[in-house]
Amino acid sequence: MLLRSWSLRQTRRGSVHADILEVRGRVSGAIVAKQVKLFATSRVEGDITQEQLAIEQGAWFQGRCTQAKRDTPGANMLEAPAPVEKPAPAKTDPKVEAKPAA
C-alpha cells in the first residue's frame, strides 16, 4: 500500500509505504516511510524503516527500526515500490508438436 500522508486508525496487515504515516491502530507488517509517528493507541508488529520516528508513551512496538536517509546507501527503500508487471501469457506455435521422449 503506497500512501502520501496517512493516519491509520484500523488494523492493517501487510507492508505500508508512505511519506508521512501516523499510526493510531494496529499494523502487522513492514512500514517504510519518511516520517512515522506511533500514537499511544498504536500496536505495531513489524520492522520500520524511516527517516524520522516518534513514539508516544503507551505505544506498543515489536520489531526493528532502521533510520535511513536519502543520501545513504540502501535508502532506495524509502522510494515507492515499482509497480509489479504481470508476465505475458506464453504463446504457443501451432506448427510445433509435442513428441514423447524416447
Side-chain angles (χ1 to χ4, degrees), residues 42-64:
S42 67
R43 179 179 175 90
V44 176
E45 295 179 66
D47 296 341
I48 301 174
T49 302
Q50 84 295 328
E51 287 185 16
Q52 297 176 1
L53 175 63
I55 303 175
E56 283 189 354
Q57 184 175 348
W60 189 90
F61 169 53
Q62 179 68 44
R64 295 179 297 173

Side-chain angles (χ1 to χ4, degrees), residues 1-2 5 9 14 23-24 29-31 41 47-49 51 60-61 74 77 80 82-85 91 95 97 100:
M1 172 184 278
L2 173 62
S5 180
R9 295 172 190 258
V23 181
R24 290 180 168 87
I31 294 174
T41 57
D47 296 341
I48 301 174
T49 302
E51 287 185 16
W60 189 90
F61 169 53
M77 293 178 68
V84 178
E85 293 184 23
K91 295 182 180 180
K95 296 177 185 176
E97 295 181 21

